[in-house]
Amino acid sequence: MFVTTVNREVKHMKRVGLFIVALVLVLAMLPFGNPLPIVAQPESTEVGGIISENTTWMAANSPYIATSSVLVSEGVTLTIEPGVTVKFDSNLALQIDGELVAQGTEENPITFSSNEASSAPGDWGYILFSDKSTDATYDGDDNYISGSIMEHCIVEYAGSSTPQGAVRIISSSPFISYCTIKSNANGGIYAQNTNYLHIIHNTVSSNNKDGICVRYSQQPYIICNIVTNNSDTGIYVHDSDNAEINYNLIRGNKGYGKGGGIDILWGRRFNISKNIIVNNSAQRGGGIYF
């Protein structure tokens, strides 16, 4: 029995020895002298100038720092992924002559903000949809199909180089939905010469001029927005026809020389219904002024 036990121990030691030899060989083959490279994510990605081909700004490369103004050329699409942050240096802007598809989510919004260490209203310029930009299209139930869209976006601390809005819409009609537009040095949303513009489910607050301003437009839809604590009129519609202003909460706005909650100057065939309009103040009508 003693001999058998010894033989077993010898066999066990041989197995252990073979395992150690194999382990040493494997370890010797590992590249300890040249470790596998670690791919680091960029701290930021600089952008600026003209975008002349379809481009995607990806969350993996965020934040994007605009060191010069950005122009999306006519016929070109800039797509921005959910969770992306875009920061602008002083007075810079994003102009859309083509198509902007900026669709964030409730959990991962897209943020357009200041690149200053201590941010303040007026740190950067604006987002502009020009008359060349691609309009949004809708199906028969008014559901968005295609075209320029800002959805679940945050726009803050803009307004340095425009007397109008942080989001400017000139002779075009993007879809603006579920966005937060706040703390800008001038207005929140400014639209002019638009047709069938949809501004729906947004929060527009604490801007230093009108919350939402629409001029010389046909059939604007201003529906289900929260418009609060702006330094001028909450919703101002000037010389526009067939406006739908429904289901909005309009509170705490301070009209300067015009109505506080809603101000209508000229235009025909308005539908203003089912809004909550409270605690606004103005020189000529704190609630609604026609």
Side-chain angles (χ1 to χ4, degrees), residues 78-145:
L78 171 62
T79 302
I80 304 179
E81 290 185 345
V84 165
T85 294
V86 186
K87 297 182 177 183
F88 293 82
D89 284 346
S90 179
N91 296 323
L92 301 184
L94 170 62
Q95 178 171 327
I96 310 300
D97 284 355
E99 181 179 33
L100 175 66
V101 178
Q103 287 182 283
T105 64
E106 185 175 359
E107 297 78 16
N108 292 294
I110 296 165
T111 301
F112 300 91
S113 189
S114 162
N115 194 34
E116 297 294 330
S118 181
S119 300
D123 280 347
W124 60 283
Y126 51 84
I127 298 171
L128 168 63
F129 293 89
S130 78
D131 58 346
K132 300 176 183 177
S133 64
T134 305
D135 292 342
T137 61
Y138 307 90
D139 63 17
D141 295 321
D142 258 357
N143 298 307
Y144 167 82
I145 298 175

Side-chain angles (χ1 to χ4, degrees), residues 142 196-200 219-223 225 242-245:
D142 258 357
Y196 207 55
L197 173 66
H198 285 52
I199 301 173
I200 298 177
Q219 205 168 357
Y221 277 60
I222 305 172
I223 298 174
N225 300 284
N242 299 301
E244 297 282 341
I245 305 174

Side-chain angles (χ1 to χ4, degrees), residues 252-287:
N253 303 286
K254 300 174 182 177
Y256 183 75
K258 53 186 190 293
I262 298 174
D263 189 296
I264 306 297
L265 180 61
W266 303 328
R268 297 173 297 172
R269 294 184 295 275
F270 285 86
N271 179 15
I272 301 174
S273 65
K274 299 180 176 65
N275 300 282
I276 298 174
I277 307 171
V278 294
N279 296 335
N280 302 281
S281 61
Q283 294 175 342
R284 41 182 226 190

Side-chain angles (χ1 to χ4, degrees), residues 3 6 20 29 32 39 41 47 51 55 63 66 70 79 99 127 137 152 174 198 204 210 221 223 226 253-254 265 288:
V3 174
V6 170
I20 292 172
M29 296 173 65
F32 287 105
V39 180
Q41 295 296 329
V47 292
I51 296 178
T55 300
V70 178
T79 302
E99 181 179 33
I127 298 171
T137 61
H152 289 295
H198 285 52
V204 185
D210 301 326
Y221 277 60
I223 298 174
I226 298 173
N253 303 286
K254 300 174 182 177
L265 180 61
I288 301 175

